[in-house]
Amino acid sequence: MHGQLIEVPPGTGQEPDLGHHGDAEATPGLVDLAVNVRRDTMPDWLADPLTASLAELAAYPDPGPARAAVAARHGRPPAEVLLTAGAAEGFVLLARALAGVRRPVVVHPQFTEPEAALRAAGHQVERVLLDPADGFRLDRARVPADADLVMIGNPTNPTSVLHPAAALAALARPGRVLVVDEAFADTTGAPGVAGEPESLAGRRDLPGLVVVRSLTKTWGLAGLRIGYLLGEAALLDRLAAVQPLWAVSTPALAAATACASPTAVAAEREIAARLAADRDHLVTRLSALPGVRVAGRPASAFVLLHLAGADRVRETLRERGWAVRRGDTFPGLGPDWLRVAVRDPATTDAFTEVLAEILEA
């Protein structure tokens, strides 16, 4: 069986802590392998517009130029772009605006905020749990045919699995809103493939498709809060109707414009290529450790690993100065799972040496 469908009544006390995130693990003084935000020096083409935007703070934010820039990047008209205060706000808008959906389904394991937002808005959520024995591969037959809202990540956090675009597109149908979280799409790459493999960001032919994007990860903008949604104009208008006025700040709009430029897109592709090499190095080192299994075929800025007693190993790692992300707060996982961020080879070597010592003790 490739997945499991379960209904989760809110407030049962049986569900994982959906409000837990990696930043809670990365306390000061620890080497941070828990948060998937790149921390390299900000390039001038991004830093300069951000600095210049501070002179415009007396005026109310104007999203028009940023919206047009993002639209141009993805080959869409501006009406098919909604700028948000981070991708997480997009999930809240979806949960509130789509109050009439009857059967919302979230495909797990994945980022927990989509389900948390749905439940906070009063929705009764069902989960499709993908099978670790099958590499967390998407089996679209597990998604109920009458689900009128389906949420899935691609590449998926925390599994790092990149689902085929065709498999995701097959989930779209009239009467259904299909939400694909592509917060990490700019971290992916494939030899000989231009752009972001398996992304649906440029697809305008799929009914009810909403693609969620984030500028947080690659460009280190978690504190700025900037993301956007791509989809049908009429559907985005419904979401905009429940969004607070001036939700996206002037500096965040400047960042969105800069990060949609050809310079930024070219830089993303270079970063993704380097990340792929660093990820391969991490996977090789982890796979050599006894009892450690890397899940699936990682495609993003993190890997998911299975290790008996991982919860205890995580605590020992903290004592040794390393922060990794616990897995038991993700539906479909448990205490024997950890998520580890991809870092440079030197950091990976130091981390895996410490992990090896812990496993041998």
Side-chain angles (χ1 to χ4, degrees):
M1 185 172 66
H2 299 307
Q4 180 182 2
L5 178 66
I6 60 174
E7 184 174 328
V8 185
T12 62
Q14 303 301 311
E15 61 271 10
D17 179 6
L18 301 180
H20 183 88
H21 299 295
D23 58 337
E25 315 271 0
T27 49
L30 301 181
V31 180
D32 177 14
L33 303 185
V35 177
N36 301 314
V37 174
R38 184 171 163 270
R39 294 181 178 273
D40 286 14
T41 302
M42 187 177 293
D44 290 343
W45 56 258
L46 176 55
D48 291 347
L50 278 177
T51 301
S53 73
L54 300 180
E56 307 298 327
L57 295 185
Y60 286 95
D62 176 11
R67 194 180 192 190
V70 171
R73 171 183 178 170
H74 295 292
R76 291 173 171 271
E80 295 181 0
V81 176
L82 179 62
L83 299 162
T84 59
E89 188 201 19
F91 299 124
V92 174
L93 299 181
L94 285 157
R96 292 177 177 174
L98 303 180
V101 297
R102 302 178 309 279
R103 194 175 187 184
V105 170
V106 179
V107 180
H108 283 290
Q110 77 146 304
F111 184 49
T112 54
E113 282 305 310
E115 180 175 325
L118 287 170
R119 292 173 63 179
H123 295 277
Q124 189 85 357
V125 179
E126 294 178 69
R127 296 173 181 159
V128 170
L129 302 181
L130 301 184
D131 188 351
D134 196 31
F136 298 104
R137 182 182 66 87
L138 173 63
D139 180 0
R140 62 179 184 269
R142 301 295 305 172
V143 178
D146 63 343
D148 50 358
L149 173 62
V150 176
M151 291 184 161
I152 186 170
N154 202 44
T156 304
N157 173 18
T159 65
S160 202
V161 169
L162 185 63
H163 302 296
L168 295 175
L171 292 174
R173 61 191 59 185
R176 168 184 289 174
V177 176
L178 171 63
V179 180
V180 180
D181 177 6
E182 292 191 359
F184 290 97
D186 61 0
T187 68
T188 63
V193 177
E196 302 163 344
E198 314 305 341
S199 172
L200 296 180
R203 293 288 298 269
R204 304 181 60 217
D205 59 315
L206 299 175
L209 173 66
V210 176
V211 174
V212 181
R213 301 283 296 214
S214 172
L215 299 176
T216 291
K217 317 304 180 187
T218 293
W219 300 120
L221 299 176
L224 193 60
R225 311 310 306 142
I226 178 63
Y228 53 90
L229 307 180
L230 306 169
E232 299 167 354
L235 178 54
L236 294 190
D237 285 345
R238 292 175 61 188
L239 306 183
V242 299
Q243 186 178 37
L245 292 174
W246 305 295
V248 182
S249 70
T250 296
L253 294 172
T257 301
C259 291
S261 69
T263 297
V265 174
E268 283 178 358
R269 295 299 84 215
E270 294 175 2
I271 293 168
R274 294 196 299 270
L275 177 66
D278 292 344
R279 182 175 60 244
D280 289 345
H281 183 72
L282 175 61
V283 171
T284 298
R285 292 298 302 265
L286 288 171
S287 299
L289 298 178
V292 175
R293 178 173 63 85
V294 176
R297 298 178 59 185
S300 190
F302 46 89
V303 301
L304 181 68
L305 59 92
H306 183 268
L307 171 64
D311 51 348
R312 297 186 299 275
V313 170
R314 180 177 62 86
E315 292 298 334
T316 306
L317 282 167
R318 291 185 66 83
E319 295 170 3
R320 298 284 298 270
W322 297 85
V324 295
R325 175 64 160 90
R326 62 192 293 181
D328 62 338
T329 64
F330 293 101
L333 300 182
D336 290 336
W337 294 90
L338 297 174
R339 191 191 71 194
V340 179
V342 176
R343 300 291 189 243
D344 62 90
T347 302
T348 287
D349 290 345
F351 167 69
T352 52
E353 288 173 8
V354 171
L355 181 56
E357 292 173 3
I358 294 171
L359 296 178
E360 292 170 0

